[in-house]
């Protein structure tokens, strides 16, 4: 299993380009199942989760082609969609496979998708997805570990979601596009990835209004057609590089990104003492060599501070001046990085869903590992501030969500090696 060896301490300096967003690419790839026509995508990130989604789509009978000249260019064509069965073997490796549920049901009238199991960061139920499909007229049952959904034609309805769920909103949005009549999704997730999906669906011919607000309106259409779409920049990858720059007292410009996607994160970085400058598609952070100040964080659905940046800010607080109180409100078990950061000498106490982080001048190197993606990212950036060589094990989690992270960090001056 690959690991990363990181020699600290270092001060990150230079420019880095953001990749396309994993959590936008996955639902948009699933959306290709809605049309019997090609969907050409640009800026699809080269990630393990994206490859898994590609395999799942191919399994369902969708033609999946990656451009030879442009590694981020994919053409997905579900003209010959032949199966409605998403198998356990693929779903168990990636929970986001649940995204195919809505499109399969809408297009074929039935879907059989393995129920995603437990997850390292929390229970992660999919009740919102299932109740919403029932509200659109589907019969939905869970049997033998599979979600079995049927509906000759989905019928538009007003759906009030019990919880704000990102993939729940996306599944229902995709299903509603081909439903008979109008759908109103209430208590919808407002995450930028939902907006990117809506933009792509609209390019395919869907009639959608209100994405980015908590009420999304969809007027069902008979069919969707061919389209082209460029995946939005990854706000979490962008935020991870900015947090790394702040924690190493460095100066980094992230290009090909969008500052509007991460306002809550930028606000906290300013409070941490960073000087920030932004343009339409870049963000520059300069710590002027200063140690960051600790910041309090409380996670919640967009536009509040994202849970996917919580672990990285624990790492930032661990070397900051002062005490940072980090409250995780979205997932019940998302503090796995804390024990590993403690092995690097971080001073962190957990009480219920709150981590109290007392900053130290520097961290110690140690062998560490994590069982989820963002926790792994926090260990990598913490290692940049450690006094010696840290080994981050089990980095297949990182490969699920960060494109060539070691090359990008090396481009900013970090000494990072991947060891096979
Ligand atoms: N929830 C319920 N019932 C449901 C659905 C969700 O109670 O039926 C709860 C969850 O337990 C959780 C909260 O609602 O407490 C939010 O869960 P959500 O459904 O929004 O999460 P998700 O759609 O499974 C996506 C991202 C996650 C990100 C969360 C929150 C994708 C593929 N995944 O997950 O990304 O953390 O939204 O923003 O979009 C990551 O990239 O590292 C990652 C975990």
């Amino acid at each position: 299993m690959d690991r990363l060896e990181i020699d600290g301490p270092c001060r990150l300096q230079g420019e880095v380009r953001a990749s396309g967003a994993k959590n936008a690419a996955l639902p948009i790839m699933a959306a290709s199942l809605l049309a019997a026509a090609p969907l050409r995508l640009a800026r699809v990130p080269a990630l393990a989760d994206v490859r898994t989604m590609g395999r799942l789509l191919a399994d369902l009978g969708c033609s999946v082609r990656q451009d030879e000249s442009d590694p981020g260019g994919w053409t997905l064509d579900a003209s010959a969609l032949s199966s409605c069965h998403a198998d356990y073997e693929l779903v168990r490796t990636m929970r986001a496979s649940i995204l195919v549920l809505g499109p399969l049901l809408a297009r074929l009238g039935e879907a059989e998708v393995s129920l995603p199991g437990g997850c390292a960061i929390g229970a992660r139920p999919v009740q919102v997805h299932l109740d919403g499909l029932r509200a659109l007229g589907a019969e939905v049952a869970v049997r033998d570990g599979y979600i079995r959904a049927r509906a000759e034609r989905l019928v538009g309805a007003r759906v009030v979601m019990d919880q704000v769920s990102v993939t729940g909103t996306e599944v229902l949005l995709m299903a509603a596009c081909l439903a008979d009549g109008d759908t109103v999704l209430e208590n919808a997730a407002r995450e930028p990835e939902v907006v990117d999906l809506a933009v792509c669906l609209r390019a395919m011919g869907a009639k959608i209004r209100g994405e980015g607000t908590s009420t999304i309106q969809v007027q069902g259409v008979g069919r969707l057609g061919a389209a082209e779409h460029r995946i939005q920049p990854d706000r979490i990858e962008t935020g991870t590089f900015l947090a790394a720059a702040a924690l190493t007292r460095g100066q980094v410009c992230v290009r090909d990104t969008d500052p509007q996607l991460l306002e809550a994160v930028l606000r906290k970085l300013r409070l941490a003492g960073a000087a920030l400058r932004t343009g339409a598609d870049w963000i520059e952070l300069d710590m002027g060599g200063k140690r960051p100040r600790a910041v309090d964080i409380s996670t919640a659905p967009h536009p509040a501070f994202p849970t996917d940046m919580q672990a990285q800010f624990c790492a930032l607080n661990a070397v900051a001046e002062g005490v940072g109180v980090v409250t995780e409100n979205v997932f019940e078990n998302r503090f796995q990085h804390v024990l590993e950061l403690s092995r690097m000498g971080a001073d962190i106490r957990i009480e219920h869903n709150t981590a109290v982080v007392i900053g130290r001048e520097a961290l110690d190197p140690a062998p560490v590992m994590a069982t989820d993606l963002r926790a792994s990212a926090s260990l990598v950036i913490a290692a940049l501030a450690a006094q010696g060589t840290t080994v981050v094990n089990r980095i297949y989690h990182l490969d699920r969500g960060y494109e060539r992270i070691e090359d990008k960090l090396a481009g900013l001056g970090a000494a990072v090696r991947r060891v096979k």
Side-chain angles (χ1 to χ4, degrees):
M1 221 176 280
D2 290 8
R3 58 181 194 271
L4 286 186
E5 290 180 359
I6 301 163
D7 302 330
C10 77
R11 184 173 290 186
L12 293 186
Q13 192 110 36
E15 286 190 5
V16 61
R17 290 189 183 282
S19 296
K22 166 180 83 84
N23 289 347
L26 296 174
I28 286 170
M29 290 173 78
S32 69
L33 298 174
L34 287 165
L39 175 61
R40 280 180 58 90
L41 299 177
R43 206 194 209 202
V44 177
L47 299 171
D49 275 6
V50 163
R51 286 189 290 276
T52 303
M53 183 57 89
R55 272 210 305 283
L56 175 55
L57 297 180
D59 238 33
L60 297 167
C62 176
S63 139
V64 177
R65 275 192 301 115
Q66 235 180 310
D67 288 4
E68 273 164 29
S69 52
D70 167 17
W74 290 57
T75 304
L76 308 171
D77 187 342
S79 305
L81 184 62
S82 54
S83 163
C84 69
H85 176 88
D87 202 71
Y88 173 67
E89 283 311 313
L90 280 175
V91 177
R92 76 190 174 96
T93 63
M94 185 182 70
R95 299 183 51 84
S97 307
I98 188 80
L99 287 163
V100 301
L101 177 62
L104 284 178
L105 179 61
R107 174 96 187 277
L108 297 176
E110 58 180 330
E112 200 174 75
V113 176
S114 172
L115 191 64
C119 171
I121 60 177
R124 306 189 73 179
V126 291
Q127 205 56 38
V128 163
H129 313 50
L130 306 191
D131 287 346
L133 292 176
R134 287 189 185 106
L136 295 177
E139 273 173 41
V140 184
V142 176
R143 253 196 337 268
D144 309 330
Y146 279 82
I147 301 161
R148 293 167 205 270
R150 294 178 74 87
E152 209 138 288
R153 177 92 198 258
L154 292 167
V155 181
R158 179 165 176 270
V159 182
V160 184
M161 288 174 270
D162 278 349
Q163 285 272 336
V164 180
S165 166
V166 176
T167 51
T169 302
E170 291 164 346
V171 161
L172 300 178
L173 175 59
M174 289 188 274
C177 286
L178 292 184
D180 197 8
D182 295 350
T183 295
V184 181
L185 300 176
E186 301 275 13
N187 201 23
R190 289 177 284 170
E191 267 64 6
E193 293 77 13
V194 174
V195 175
D196 207 30
L197 171 64
V199 170
C200 177
L201 289 169
R202 208 179 285 119
M204 294 167 73
K207 299 226 160 65
I208 301 171
R209 282 191 303 153
E211 73 276 13
T213 76
S214 53
T215 304
I216 304 180
Q217 295 168 46
V218 186
Q219 202 183 325
V221 296
R223 62 192 172 86
L224 296 181
E228 293 185 8
H229 181 77
R230 181 172 161 82
I231 306 291
Q232 70 178 199
D234 196 316
R235 65 192 168 107
I236 305 300
E237 186 205 27
T238 299
T240 302
F241 282 115
L242 294 174
L247 163 154
T248 60
R249 310 180 187 188
Q251 180 184 10
V252 165
C253 182
V254 185
R255 298 214 171 264
D256 287 349
T257 190
D258 180 352
Q260 293 187 353
L261 301 180
L262 62 171
E263 282 174 358
V265 172
L266 299 187
R267 220 167 19 245
K268 291 296 174 181
L269 288 168
R270 275 200 187 91
L271 284 174
L276 286 173
R277 292 196 309 131
T278 60
D281 64 352
W282 57 268
I283 306 170
E284 188 188 65
L285 178 147
D286 188 358
M287 286 306 287
K290 289 191 319 273
R291 184 179 175 192
R293 286 192 297 272
V295 284
D296 293 345
I297 298 294
S298 181
T299 68
H302 195 77
F305 191 90
T307 172
D308 289 345
M309 282 301 300
Q310 179 259 103
Q312 300 88 318
F313 270 70
C314 282
L316 175 70
N317 279 340
V319 294
E321 205 175 318
V323 181
V325 178
V326 177
T327 308
E328 173 56 51
N329 297 303
V330 179
F331 290 112
E332 65 265 33
N333 188 27
R334 212 175 197 183
F335 277 137
Q336 304 209 7
H337 42 288
V338 164
L339 285 176
E340 296 295 303
L341 288 171
S342 302
R343 299 187 62 252
M344 300 175 70
D347 187 350
I348 309 181
R349 200 178 66 239
I350 297 184
E351 280 170 21
H352 308 292
N353 66 334
T354 297
V356 179
V357 189
I358 301 170
R360 287 191 41 191
E361 182 77 35
L363 295 175
D364 309 324
V368 288
M369 64 177 195
T371 43
D372 93 85
L373 168 58
R374 310 302 171 186
S376 304
S378 82
L379 299 177
V380 169
I381 69 172
L384 300 171
Q387 303 284 327
T389 303
T390 296
V391 179
V392 182
N393 292 293
R394 282 206 196 172
I395 56 163
Y396 60 85
H397 291 292
L398 270 180
D399 293 334
R400 289 186 35 218
Y402 288 89
E403 191 175 54
R404 298 182 298 102
I405 190 168
E406 68 272 28
D407 295 345
K408 290 192 180 188
L409 286 173
L412 296 171
V416 189
R417 295 173 297 281
R418 179 181 288 255
V419 180
K420 298 266 177 200

